[in-house]
Amino acid sequence: MVLVRAGREVAQRVWSGRGLQMALALAAFLCPPLYADDPEPLHVRIDRAIEAAHAGTPAPPADDATFVRRLFLDLAGRIPSSAEARAFLDDPAGDKRAKLVDRLLASPEHARHMAVTFDVWLMERRADKHVKSDEWRAWLVAFFAANRPYNELARDVLGADGADPAVRPAAKFTLDRDVAPDALVRDVGRVFFGIDLQCAQCHDHPRIDDYLQRDYYGLYAFVARASLFQPDPKKPGVVAEKAEGDVAFKSVFTKAEGGTRPRIPDGAEIDEPSFPKGEEYQVKADPKDKTVRPVPKFSRRAQLARLAGEGAGRAFDRNIVNRLWAHMMGRGLVEPVDLHHSNNPPSHPELLEMLADAFAATKFDLRAFLRELALTRTYQRSVEMPATLAEQSKGAAAKIAALEAEAARLQEPATKAEEAARAASEEQDAAKKGVTAIAAELVKADAATADARKAHDASTVALAAAQKELAARQDLKKTVSEAAQKAAEAAARLSGDPELTAAAAIFQARAEKLGTDVTASEKGVAEKTAVVMAKAEPLAAAAKAADAVRVRLSDASARVKVLAGAFDAADAHRKTTKVAASHAGSRLSAAKALAEYGPLHAAALESREALKRIQSELSATREAAAKLPGELEARVAEAKKAHETALAASSAARKDLSAKEEALRAVSEAATKAEEVAQKAAKDAELVSAAGRVKGRRDALATESTEARKTAARLDDAARKAADGLAAAERARADLAGAKERIPVLEAALKPATEKAAADKSRLDEAYGKLTTIWTHAFAVGVLDPLTPEQIGWSMMQAAGVVDQQRTAAAAEFAKKTPPLPEADRARFVEDFVYAKLKGNEAPFVKVFGGAPGQPQDEFYATVDQALFLENGGLVRGWLVPGGGNLADRLMKLEDPAEQARELYLSLFSRRPTARETEDVVRYLARRPQARLSEIQEIAWAMLTSVEFRFKH
């Protein structure tokens, strides 16, 4: 792990040029698969899980143009420049996709984009209150640039109180919600644990069985003692926390009551230390000094941060991997991402668990995890459904029986688990009611004890008063008696001094009187002692009875705790089996949908072809019926005349051929005899000459006969064709009446055929749409994901050349630095420079394209305001004014319209245009050669505001 971190740190420090290539190579060498004890990389196991769960063959990989645009948007927050797109498309290397993933992950733009992404997740575009967004974003950028693990981000965000300037930005999550416990409970639950407990505040969730009121208050207990501390509105607010305050709740529906210590979802209540009264605080609140912030020795908020920092709980792990999956894939395995529960199970439950394990095993390394996702076939899949759905249908049909059996097999344990969880819940509820009854009994017993104690205490107070009075009288009697004795002794020594004698008499008389009073007081004390003793007996009895009830309550409470653990186990099993059964049902439904598609496709093709046949026949029949009878008669007469003429010519040719052949036979016989004469009278010149003339005549007739035969054959063929034409004309004349009768029949057949073709197509389209949804949810086809407001803004600036202009300026500024900055700092310098110059352009896009502040930001919608912003706003159109080498400049310098088309498409869509698109651009630009700039700006604006630009393809 040390080597892995070292490799990544090298990649982080070296941003560009040869140094970057070396750093990436070193990082790849030092970074084995996601964790070393796995035989296969995570991306391989992801694809296997996705494809094994799918009934058909997923969509093929996206082309390079789609991939490069998608990856830049997901990892850098913008589309590639035309130069970056061209370089990637022209790169023949087989591993160029993996190299691009590594390059973008190592870039400063990635850190910036992740900061934006997590800002939106955590703050949901709330307006600043106590921490400025720039400080918060800067803190996030530094966090992601250092590739700190995600659990540390959760720890810092949930634990920061704003008092330490070094980590004050992390307190924005808590402070900008005014440290309001209800707001924090909802957003901590959603953002960090993937559960929205808002509707479980006053009762168990009415629609989601998994969300209980005790879950809400388990999180509430972490933050209930916290508050916003800002005695001076001019000074920054911080988080204060009390050391006391327990959480109790009561359902407004069932009236059931409960209490809880802090607990994270699916976790146990945490233990808390106890402190002597008055020793609970590190810093006590000072009633006389309102500027003193109380700081408890034990902070519940700190415990929440600690648990997050330790990556405690499966809900925590599942939530973040699901959010990262949604960031890359366009939707979560659980969707919506903040509604994890068994009625909304993951599309691939086992995969979600595997991802949670893998991410935790990497110590929550975000870059390593995103890299594995980007390398999957799943991420790189095309958004187009495959053209082989009909062929795949048969294979899906063959799987249905096994899937039905699997679904049935898993349903039984799910049903049993549901019943077991219900029974455990009922037993727990019954035990809770018993505890409530005993608690009420204890209240009465404690009240009776209190009444007995009150009576006993009153008698004790009366006894104490009597005893005090007795002691006072006894003390006074003793003192007076001693005074009488001493006075008498003094009088005796002074021979009966009258004054002393009189005083002694007075003291003596008073002592005797006090003796009577002491006796009366002793009697009163005795009476009151008897009363106290009488009151002590019912007090002891009441206390004993209360203690007995308290023991029963403790035993019952302990049983409830045991039953709560049993319920938690049963409920966890219920969720697991329910999700497994649901997933099996989903796989079965997906296979059935694919199996149904094939017959629907065949039926649609058949009905479409049948409709075409009827339409074709009807058209031909109508055409035939439209012919005038006169035209057909003329056609017959003409064909008849042509046939007669052909027959006459053929007959004459046959006669001529016959005469020539007869003459040829006669001359041939004469020639044969003449040849014999010539042979026998070879020396007779006259006879030989006559024989030669006969032979010459024979040869001439043979040639004439051959030509006559050809002529006769040709004229015979013409006669046959004329006969065919005559027959066709006569058939057409004969068919005219039949055609007129056929038209109503075909017209009657056309309407139901049209309706059937339309109905079959509608059913096919519905099935296709259903399949598209199922395959999208199963990640068997790429998700058509809209750009975020920030991605739209930065991509438009990139496409228009605004970003490249600032990069050029940044490079020039970097070169001016004295002393020169290290080359390794170039990429970070350029990124910071460009962002500082252009960040102000984000706000308009967020305002127009973003969701409402404080609400989830993953909804896509199109509004009139967006159209007006793009149509009438000067911001985007201003970027298309030539200057500084921007897109308009580059296009104006190109003379070839086809080259202009290529630069346009590479700059805006990261792809080269098709031949048709090139032709369209060329034709458009040729409309007004004198307004070439205006035409270029208009077509660029149209492409910037197109649907293709708004979505990741």
Side-chain angles (χ1 to χ4, degrees):
M1 184 58 71
V2 173
L3 289 177
V4 170
R5 288 202 184 100
R8 291 184 183 129
E9 288 170 359
V10 170
Q12 290 157 15
R13 289 197 302 269
V14 185
W15 295 107
S16 62
R18 177 73 175 168
L20 175 59
Q21 295 176 1
M22 293 176 63
L24 291 175
L26 179 59
F29 175 75
L30 295 176
C31 296
L34 207 54
Y35 39 107
D37 55 349
D38 285 328
E40 292 179 308
L42 179 60
H43 67 269
V44 173
R45 290 180 288 133
I46 289 173
D47 286 329
R48 184 163 57 243
I50 290 290
E51 291 160 13
H54 188 55
T57 302
D63 57 30
D64 282 345
T66 298
F67 175 79
V68 70
R69 189 172 191 272
R70 180 185 297 171
L71 191 71
F72 264 86
L73 285 165
D74 287 335
L75 296 187
R78 63 170 176 86
I79 62 173
S81 67
S82 61
E84 289 167 327
R86 186 181 291 105
F88 183 79
L89 296 178
D90 294 341
D91 186 353
D95 60 347
K96 65 180 181 180
R97 294 194 176 192
K99 287 180 178 178
L100 182 60
V101 170
D102 289 336
R103 181 168 71 81
L104 289 179
L105 286 172
S107 71
E109 283 185 288
H110 174 67
R112 181 83 60 190
H113 179 51
M114 294 308 294
V116 172
T117 300
F118 274 77
D119 174 23
V120 174
W121 286 356
L122 293 167
M123 299 309 302
E124 295 175 329
R125 308 191 197 283
R126 286 174 169 82
D128 290 351
K129 285 189 175 181
H130 300 281
V131 177
K132 294 180 179 179
S133 290
D134 285 349
E135 297 172 0
W136 161 246
R137 283 271 185 99
W139 181 81
L140 287 172
V141 169
F143 186 97
F144 290 110
N147 196 30
R148 291 177 58 195
Y150 168 74
N151 60 313
E152 290 185 9
L153 182 142
R155 180 198 64 199
D156 291 354
V157 166
L158 293 175
D161 59 14
D164 182 355
V167 291
R168 177 175 173 79
K172 184 177 179 67
F173 180 87
T174 301
L175 289 173
D176 279 16
R177 288 171 172 84
D178 292 323
V179 201
D182 289 331
L184 288 172
V185 168
R186 188 191 183 200
D187 290 345
V188 168
R190 288 173 50 241
V191 175
F192 290 98
F193 296 98
I195 56 175
D196 188 346
L197 296 171
Q198 184 178 31
C199 292
Q201 180 176 356
C202 303
H203 43 72
D204 289 346
H205 200 291
R207 292 183 294 104
I208 301 175
D209 295 339
D210 297 358
Y211 293 177
L212 306 178
Q213 194 176 13
R214 68 176 184 137
D215 295 326
Y216 181 94
Y217 283 95
L219 280 179
Y220 187 89
F222 281 111
V223 295
R225 296 176 177 178
S227 62
L228 179 64
F229 186 78
Q230 194 174 17
D232 185 349
K234 297 180 180 178
K235 294 183 179 180
V238 294
V239 180
E241 191 172 357
K242 297 184 296 184
E244 61 281 330
D246 292 323
V247 170
F249 53 91
K250 180 178 181 179
S251 171
V252 297
F253 290 157
T254 66
K255 308 304 178 184
E257 300 179 5
T260 181
R261 294 195 303 275
R263 55 183 289 272
I264 62 173
D266 295 335
E269 295 181 5
I270 66 170
D271 294 325
E272 297 184 75
S274 60
F275 299 95
K277 188 66 177 177
E279 298 181 15
E280 303 95 338
Y281 287 89
Q282 294 181 21
V283 179
K284 291 184 179 181
D286 187 346
K288 297 181 180 180
D289 186 354
K290 300 299 183 182
T291 63
V292 176
R293 179 175 67 111
V295 179
K297 289 181 178 178
F298 179 83
S299 166
R300 286 184 168 184
R301 279 187 67 250
Q303 295 308 304
L304 176 61
R306 177 186 64 80
L307 290 169
E310 293 172 354
R314 294 298 288 175
F316 180 86
D317 296 347
R318 293 189 194 106
N319 169 70
I320 182 56
V321 297
N322 187 61
R323 283 179 176 270
L324 293 171
W325 179 277
H327 173 73
M328 295 294 287
M329 305 296 179
R331 63 177 286 113
L333 292 165
V334 176
E335 186 72 24
V337 295
D338 58 1
L339 282 177
H340 289 242
H341 56 84
S342 58
N343 287 339
N344 183 39
S347 61
H348 299 75
E350 294 180 358
L351 174 59
L352 182 61
E353 297 301 323
M354 181 177 73
L355 294 176
D357 289 339
F359 191 42
T362 69
K363 307 300 182 184
F364 302 95
D365 187 328
L366 287 160
R367 283 190 200 164
F369 188 75
L370 291 175
R371 180 180 190 274
E372 293 298 314
L373 295 184
L375 293 178
T376 61
R377 289 190 296 273
T378 304
Y379 175 76
Q380 299 181 27
R381 221 177 292 290
S382 170
V383 298
E384 299 290 341
M385 290 286 280
T388 58
L389 291 178
E391 290 82 351
Q392 293 187 39
S393 179
K394 295 180 182 178
K399 298 178 181 179
I400 289 177
L403 291 173
E404 285 178 335
E406 179 72 1
R409 183 182 68 79
L410 291 174
Q411 189 58 50
E412 183 178 354
T415 302
K416 290 182 178 179
E418 187 82 30
E419 294 170 353
R422 187 181 302 111
S425 177
E426 290 172 355
E427 187 175 7
Q428 182 186 20
D429 290 343
K432 286 181 178 178
K433 289 179 181 177
V435 168
T436 301
I438 296 172
E441 188 179 341
L442 179 59
V443 170
K444 292 180 180 178
D446 284 341
T449 302
D451 290 342
R453 188 177 302 282
K454 183 177 180 182
H456 178 267
D457 289 348
S459 65
T460 302
V461 169
L463 174 60
Q467 289 173 331
K468 183 177 180 182
E469 182 184 65
L470 172 61
R473 286 179 172 179
Q474 287 175 333
D475 182 63
L476 181 58
K477 175 181 178 295
K478 177 183 177 183
T479 303
V480 172
S481 295
E482 290 175 348
Q485 181 182 352
K486 295 296 183 182
E489 290 176 355
R493 287 184 179 277
L494 296 175
S495 302
D497 180 82
E499 290 185 6
L500 290 174
T501 300
I506 292 171
F507 287 148
Q508 184 60 38
R510 181 57 60 84
E512 291 172 358
K513 176 68 173 62
L514 287 172
T516 301
D517 292 343
V518 167
T519 300
S521 293
E522 287 175 342
K523 182 180 179 182
V525 167
E527 291 173 349
K528 289 178 172 56
T529 300
V531 171
V532 168
M533 293 180 66
K535 298 293 183 183
E537 185 175 344
L539 172 60
K544 183 177 180 181
D547 286 343
V549 174
R550 195 167 280 107
V551 169
R552 288 168 51 214
L553 179 62
S554 177
D555 292 343
S557 298
R559 183 167 182 270
V560 166
K561 188 173 183 180
V562 172
L563 291 175
F567 168 74
D568 287 343
D571 196 48
H573 184 58
R574 173 189 70 84
K575 294 174 184 177
T576 300
T577 55
K578 183 177 180 179
V579 167
S582 176
H583 182 53
S586 296
R587 292 184 61 193
L588 174 60
S589 297
K592 286 182 175 179
L594 182 55
E596 292 166 359
Y597 182 83
L600 290 174
H601 183 265
L605 285 179
E606 182 179 349
S607 60
R608 185 178 68 185
E609 290 303 316
L611 176 60
K612 284 182 178 180
R613 286 193 298 272
I614 293 174
Q615 289 172 331
S616 177
E617 185 178 355
L618 178 59
S619 176
T621 304
R622 282 173 173 167
E623 183 179 354
K627 300 288 186 181
L628 294 175
E631 291 181 3
L632 291 175
E633 290 297 337
R635 178 182 168 190
V636 170
E638 183 181 353
K640 187 175 182 180
K641 182 179 180 181
H643 181 243
E644 290 172 350
T645 301
L647 282 177
S650 174
S651 178
R654 284 291 171 186
K655 287 181 181 179
D656 180 60
L657 173 62
S658 178
K660 283 184 169 55
E661 286 179 339
E662 284 298 324
L664 176 62
R665 279 195 297 273
V667 173
S668 293
E669 290 175 359
T672 300
K673 290 298 182 181
E675 182 68 26
E676 289 178 2
V677 170
Q679 289 177 355
K680 290 179 178 181
K683 296 181 179 181
D684 188 333
E686 186 177 1
L687 289 176
V688 170
S689 174
R693 286 195 296 272
V694 173
K695 181 180 179 183
R697 184 60 178 149
R698 182 197 63 189
D699 292 343
L701 285 173
T703 300
E704 291 175 5
S705 179
T706 298
E707 290 299 322
R709 192 177 295 109
K710 291 180 180 178
T711 299
R714 178 174 54 79
L715 292 174
D716 286 345
D717 185 59
R720 282 193 297 272
K721 289 181 180 178
D724 291 342
L726 176 60
E730 289 175 339
R731 281 197 304 273
R733 182 175 60 183
D735 289 345
L736 178 60
K740 289 181 178 179
E741 294 175 0
R742 179 71 175 151
I743 287 174
V745 176
L746 292 172
E747 287 177 339
L750 180 63
K751 183 178 180 181
T754 301
E755 291 175 348
K756 186 176 188 308
D760 287 347
K761 183 179 185 302
S762 177
R763 284 190 288 270
L764 182 64
D765 289 344
E766 183 180 354
Y768 187 85
K770 181 180 178 181
L771 271 181
T772 300
T773 299
I774 291 173
W775 283 43
T776 299
H777 292 180
F779 305 99
V781 66
V783 178
L784 193 59
D785 196 23
L787 273 60
T788 67
E790 290 86 355
Q791 287 173 331
I792 295 173
W794 283 97
S795 294
M796 285 190 172
M797 286 189 280
Q798 178 62 70
V802 178
V803 173
D804 289 338
Q805 286 178 318
Q806 294 302 329
R807 284 203 189 101
T808 301
E813 192 67 23
F814 183 82
K816 294 178 185 176
K817 292 296 179 182
T818 304
L821 295 175
E823 184 62 25
D825 292 343
R826 175 185 289 274
R828 171 61 60 193
F829 179 90
V830 170
E831 162 63 16
D832 290 344
F833 183 96
V834 171
Y835 180 75
K837 293 291 184 181
L838 299 178
K839 67 178 180 179
N841 293 326
E842 272 189 3
F845 287 91
V846 170
K847 180 180 179 180
V848 175
F849 293 93
Q855 298 297 319
Q857 300 290 316
D858 53 359
E859 293 294 327
F860 168 76
Y861 54 91
T863 67
V864 173
D865 286 345
Q866 293 172 4
L868 292 175
F869 170 74
L870 296 174
E871 173 69 27
N872 300 328
L875 183 63
V876 176
R877 289 191 179 274
W879 293 336
L880 297 175
V881 175
N886 66 357
L887 176 64
D889 264 355
R890 298 200 310 273
L891 293 173
M892 287 296 290
K893 291 176 181 177
L894 297 173
E895 297 297 333
D896 182 2
E899 187 60 33
Q900 289 175 325
R902 284 189 286 274
E903 184 62 23
L904 268 169
Y905 273 79
L906 281 170
S907 297
L908 279 79
F909 298 150
S910 310
R911 64 178 177 86
R912 292 186 170 94
T914 64
R916 175 64 182 273
E917 288 167 336
T918 300
E919 181 183 339
D920 289 343
V921 172
V922 170
R923 185 169 55 252
Y924 185 86
L925 295 179
R927 294 187 319 160
R928 296 188 301 158
Q930 72 281 5
R932 185 162 167 258
L933 173 60
S934 175
E935 297 294 80
I936 285 174
Q937 290 173 319
E938 196 62 28
I939 197 169
W941 178 86
M943 292 170 68
L944 277 174
T945 57
S946 67
V947 172
E948 182 171 354
F949 194 88
R950 183 81 187 267
F951 287 85
K952 287 187 284 187
H953 290 264

